[in-house]
Amino acid sequence: MSVTLLNVFVVPEASEAEFLRNWRETTAHFSKHPGFIETHLHRNTGVGNQSFRFINIATWESAEAWRSTHAEYTPGEYSVAGVQGHPAIFESVIDAYRQSSG
Amino acid sequence: MSVTLLNVFVVPEASEAEFLRNWRETTAHFSKHPGFIETHLHRNTGVGNQSFRFINIATWESAEAWRSTHAEYTPGEYSVAGVQGHPAIFESVIDAYRQSSG
């Protein structure tokens, strides 16, 4: 069963371009790695809380596949000034869908 | 076009049960609100960074629909001891999918 990797990023505005340049390099590398399925980097639109500029929502075949990738490759975005990442494996625990008001 | 609401939560272990009780109440309320589409509360599995215990990934019809809900209802989970939420509207900016290594 696949797993969900969520990574919450603090990125100062001045570092955004360099963060994205590094992100593209990391993604190009990871997308060829065994166990990678997909990744969707989300950017804060400015509506709501502004603590986190980017959040990545990714899917991997397993937590082990995700971890093993980092043993051989250090994503460059963590070296960009002021950038803090918080990557962890999450699982969906409560789901809810629109109810008809019938 | 729908929008993505991501909410990153700091939740002390001792507050988890109370957080979840409030979450279910909030979700029961919001799921009947115009503009709500779906919500998926994710829990940190313990693999990776442990800063954030829960992250909600929700879909609303618009940022306005999400904001108007909060004008009439204050989610109880924000009153739970030690809980910090960081809700904001995000948009997907870089997507990547598994590449065949062929």
Side-chain angles (χ1 to χ4, degrees):
Chain A
M1 205 186 76
S2 64
V3 299
T4 300
L5 180 280
L6 300 178
N7 197 345
V8 175
F9 284 101
V10 173
V11 179
E13 188 172 359
S15 294
E16 183 171 326
E18 193 180 349
F19 171 82
L20 288 172
R21 198 160 49 238
N22 280 276
W23 181 265
R24 288 178 194 278
E25 279 178 24
T26 298
T27 299
H29 181 87
F30 280 11
S31 63
K32 292 176 216 150
H33 194 278
F36 172 88
I37 298 176
E38 62 189 78
T39 183
H40 304 279
L41 183 67
H42 286 69
R43 189 178 188 286
N44 200 316
T45 63
V47 176
N49 185 283
Q50 295 302 297
S51 299
F52 308 116
R53 188 175 298 267
F54 291 99
I55 298 180
N56 182 36
I57 304 175
T59 309
W60 286 79
E61 287 180 2
S62 67
E64 292 66 39
W66 169 65
R67 280 217 272 214
S68 70
T69 305
H70 292 73
E72 60 178 56
Y73 183 87
T74 302
E77 54 270 29
Y78 289 100
S79 305
V80 177
V83 168
Q84 297 170 37
H86 307 80
I89 303 291
F90 285 73
E91 60 186 348
S92 190
V93 289
I94 302 179
D95 302 296
Y97 301 88
R98 189 202 315 250
Q99 297 174 11
S100 64
S101 55
Chain B
M1 205 184 77
S2 64
V3 300
T4 300
L5 180 280
L6 300 178
N7 196 346
V8 175
F9 285 101
V10 173
V11 179
E13 187 171 0
S15 294
E16 183 172 325
E18 194 182 349
F19 171 82
L20 289 171
R21 199 159 49 238
N22 280 277
W23 181 265
R24 288 178 195 280
E25 280 177 24
T26 298
T27 299
H29 180 87
F30 280 11
S31 63
K32 292 176 214 146
H33 193 278
F36 172 87
I37 298 176
E38 61 188 78
T39 182
H40 305 278
L41 183 67
H42 286 69
R43 189 179 188 288
N44 200 316
T45 63
V47 176
N49 185 284
Q50 296 303 294
S51 299
F52 308 115
R53 188 175 298 266
F54 291 99
I55 298 180
N56 182 37
I57 304 176
T59 309
W60 287 79
E61 286 180 3
S62 67
E64 291 68 38
W66 169 65
R67 280 215 272 212
S68 71
T69 306
H70 291 74
E72 61 177 57
Y73 183 87
T74 302
E77 55 269 29
Y78 288 99
S79 304
V80 177
V83 168
Q84 296 169 38
H86 307 79
I89 303 290
F90 284 73
E91 60 186 348
S92 190
V93 290
I94 302 179
D95 303 297
Y97 300 87
R98 188 202 315 250
Q99 297 175 10
S100 65
S101 54

